[in-house]
């Protein structure tokens, strides 16, 4: 298996801008992921929300970014035991 990654040492927008993985010919990990949880929502928070939103749109990403006191990724997930908020 051979993967190609963007530079993990290059942190952009305080970690809000994702790094990218080209899985090559290997199967995507989601194909073997356990079932039972579902992503309900995902958004980012950042003190400079407009600038981060522009960067994300430049890569064709439509992640909502809200103004927040500190950078954060916030995921809401439905699990067998209820809804969980990951920050």
């Amino acid at each position: 298996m051979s993967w190609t990654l963007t530079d993990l040492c290059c942190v952009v927008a305080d970690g809000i801008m994702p790094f990218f993985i080209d899985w090559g010919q290997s199967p995507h990990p989601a194909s073997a992921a356990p079932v039972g949880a579902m992503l309900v929502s995902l958004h980012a928070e950042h003190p400079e929300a407009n600038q981060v939103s522009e960067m994300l749109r430049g890569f064709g990403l439509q992640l909502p970014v809200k103004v927040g006191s500190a950078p954060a990724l916030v995921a809401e997930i439905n699990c067998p035991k209820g809804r969980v908020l990951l920050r």
Side-chain angles (χ1 to χ4, degrees):
M1 286 189 265
S2 177
W3 304 344
T4 305
L5 308 171
T6 53
D7 186 355
L8 298 176
C9 294
C10 182
V11 177
V12 179
D14 300 300
I16 302 298
M17 180 64 77
F19 68 90
F20 296 96
I21 301 173
D22 178 350
W23 299 102
Q25 298 300 313
S26 63
H28 191 282
S31 63
V35 296
M38 186 170 80
L39 181 65
V40 175
S41 67
L42 177 66
H43 75 269
E45 296 176 357
H46 197 279
E48 299 172 359
N50 289 336
Q51 291 173 319
V52 173
S53 290
E54 285 183 37
M55 283 190 269
L56 291 165
R57 279 193 302 272
F59 280 88
L61 304 173
Q62 297 180 11
L63 178 68
V65 182
K66 301 175 182 180
V67 175
S69 59
L73 289 171
V74 183
E76 188 174 359
I77 301 172
N78 269 341
C79 303
K81 294 185 178 183
R83 193 165 282 196
V84 177
L85 189 67
L86 301 175
R87 178 178 283 279

